[in-house]
Amino acid sequence: MNARAARTLAAAGALIVSLAGAAAAHAQPGRVALVIANDEGHAEDVKLHFAESDADHLARVLTQLGGFEPDSTFVLRGRSVADVRRALGDVGRRLREAPGEPLLFVYYSGHADAEGLHIGRESLSLVELKAAVLALPAAARVVVVDACQAGAITRLKGGHAATPFAVAPEEAPRGLAILASSGDAELAQESDDIGSSFFTHYLLLGLQGAADDNRDGDVSLGEAFDFASRRTLAATMGSAAGPQHPMYRLDLRGQKELVLTRPGLAGSGFGRLALDEPGWFFVRRAGDAGVMEVVSGGREQIALEPGRYEVASRLPDRLQVAEVDIRSDAAASLAAAPSRRVAFGRVVRKGGGVRPLSFGLAALAGARSDVADLGAAWTGAVAARVDAPAASFELRVGADRAELPASSAIGAPSVATTAAFASLAALRAKDLRYVTVAAGLEAGVVRFSERFASDTTARASLGATVGPTALVELPLGPRFCLRADAALPVYLLRERQSGGGDEVHARFAGRVSAGAGVYF
């Protein structure tokens, strides 16, 4: 064998050994997880939105970043107490088959009270769960309880304010850590904005790398809980239920630092996003409703499933949005991704907590077709709009002016008609690549004032309008836009009849206008 061949063979051998070592490190045999979630609880419990989806997300993170093999990760969604007991037996068998000193990870999300977990219409007592976990043949046990009782936009979790598990050191035979999502006299919360419970959202974000304080590529139990605790408290300070303080009970004497995930390890199937710019970021995968909120000092990295992501950052004078493609086992840099300024209304409709509402003003000019033989009119208006995630509401105030010349054939004098109007429109908007389109229903009041050339007095009448309306808007950066709109209002007018008396008639018309606007 010549020297070149020997070097090639040695390099290949080193590569194989390196890959085998990485695969072995990722697999981490001896890890078993039981993930339980129920959106529905007892009859008096309001249905949750995110408990079961949180469980799915956690299971993916554990299997791809935490070394929990899929056949050792038991996920129960919307199941019964009997199913949980059977799963605990399966977990015990898997632990007994596991080599070395196995780790057990148990997670629950759903309703609860001071006595137990509300698993569907049944309850599993905390005493039974604790005893079952301690009886399983694991060297280390991590139990996470995120129990909730639903409310409106921010749902209250944990029907009654329950004390966390009280575990004395002598009760943990080898090592036990119990993490609770709230304090012993508090209610935990979940949020529609982030599409998750606050605590589980930040726990997952931490496990995906945001909690890796020492930048060693591993996330330990302490790093994950500290990150989730701090971020949960910060996020709930202004919520309806008040601040939420996650708590823990810990007895892991003799254990090394317990690593839960390795987001920096190659071969996981996840990609990595380097938040290499300081800021407050909202990360959303294309097509997903949920959003990840990350405060970065410029050195954070988070592991993400492959796909296209939109990263929005709120700066003092503007809002920037970047699109980043995340590829499996590859790193992407936020600083290197092209970004654009985005109109505030678009960001509100995307959700994600950047801001709950956007406000705008627009000046418009246009034309209106003939109404009740008064002639076509020029129109001008000012429109004030509020954009919310689900709908937009626009108040339009303005005036029309029409003039009919005198007619010698029928002996009619010239007449000028002024119409002052105010209307409110409810709109549903859709943001396309370059423009925003919206459609909805507009209703309002109008006051017509007619003045004849041969008469110094004016006749006035009141009416109502209702009809469909639509607009197209071209954003020019985050604050300005050009727009055009159209409407087909029906005018309900009281008109005097030739035989005497008044009747209400419906008069159809059309309106088009265009102008410019500004967002606040």
Side-chain angles (χ1 to χ4, degrees), residues 148-175:
C148 47
Q149 188 175 34
I153 294 178
T154 299
R155 294 170 184 82
L156 300 181
K157 304 179 74 180
H160 306 286
T163 57
F165 295 170
V167 181
E170 60 271 14
E171 290 183 294
R174 296 291 301 276

Side-chain angles (χ1 to χ4, degrees), residues 292-310:
M292 289 179 284
E293 178 187 350
V294 189
V295 177
S296 172
R299 299 189 301 156
E300 281 70 18
Q301 282 199 11
I302 55 175
L304 299 171
E305 294 181 84
R308 169 157 286 197
Y309 288 80
E310 186 178 79

Side-chain angles (χ1 to χ4, degrees), residues 194-214:
I194 59 179
S196 174
S197 86
F198 284 108
F199 179 75
T200 295
H201 171 75
Y202 291 114
L203 178 65
L204 285 166
L205 188 57
L207 293 174
Q208 290 175 242
D212 184 14
D213 287 338
N214 59 8

Side-chain angles (χ1 to χ4, degrees), residues 337-520:
S339 65
R340 67 186 189 281
R341 296 188 177 194
V342 176
F344 288 143
R346 289 186 162 219
V347 176
V348 165
R349 284 186 287 273
K350 287 178 182 293
V354 177
R355 57 186 300 173
L357 297 172
S358 174
F359 305 92
L361 284 175
L364 304 164
R368 187 210 68 206
S369 65
D370 177 46
V371 176
D373 298 325
L374 297 176
W378 296 106
T379 180
V382 174
R385 193 169 81 231
V386 177
D387 290 306
S392 299
F393 299 92
E394 183 170 273
L395 175 65
R396 186 184 184 108
V397 179
D400 302 338
R401 182 173 177 80
E403 292 189 8
L404 287 176
S407 173
S408 57
I410 61 174
S414 63
V415 58
T417 304
T418 301
F421 62 84
S423 63
L424 181 66
L427 302 164
R428 180 69 174 175
K430 183 173 181 58
D431 299 309
L432 305 178
R433 183 172 179 82
Y434 296 110
V435 300
T436 295
V437 296
L441 187 68
E442 180 182 78
V445 294
V446 60
R447 181 181 185 276
F448 284 98
S449 178
E450 295 177 278
R451 186 179 297 277
F452 293 89
S454 58
D455 190 354
T456 59
T457 62
R459 295 190 304 172
S461 61
L462 289 175
T465 64
V466 62
T469 184
L471 66 84
V472 178
E473 201 167 72
L474 175 65
L476 302 175
R479 292 198 176 276
F480 301 98
C481 70
L482 299 176
R483 62 171 277 177
D485 58 59
L488 295 172
V490 177
Y491 286 78
L492 303 176
L493 303 175
R494 184 179 297 276
E495 300 177 18
R496 184 168 298 279
Q497 304 304 299
S498 58
D502 294 338
E503 287 186 5
V504 175
H505 290 268
R507 304 296 185 182
F508 295 87
R511 185 194 75 223
V512 294
S513 58
V518 59
Y519 300 112
F520 300 97

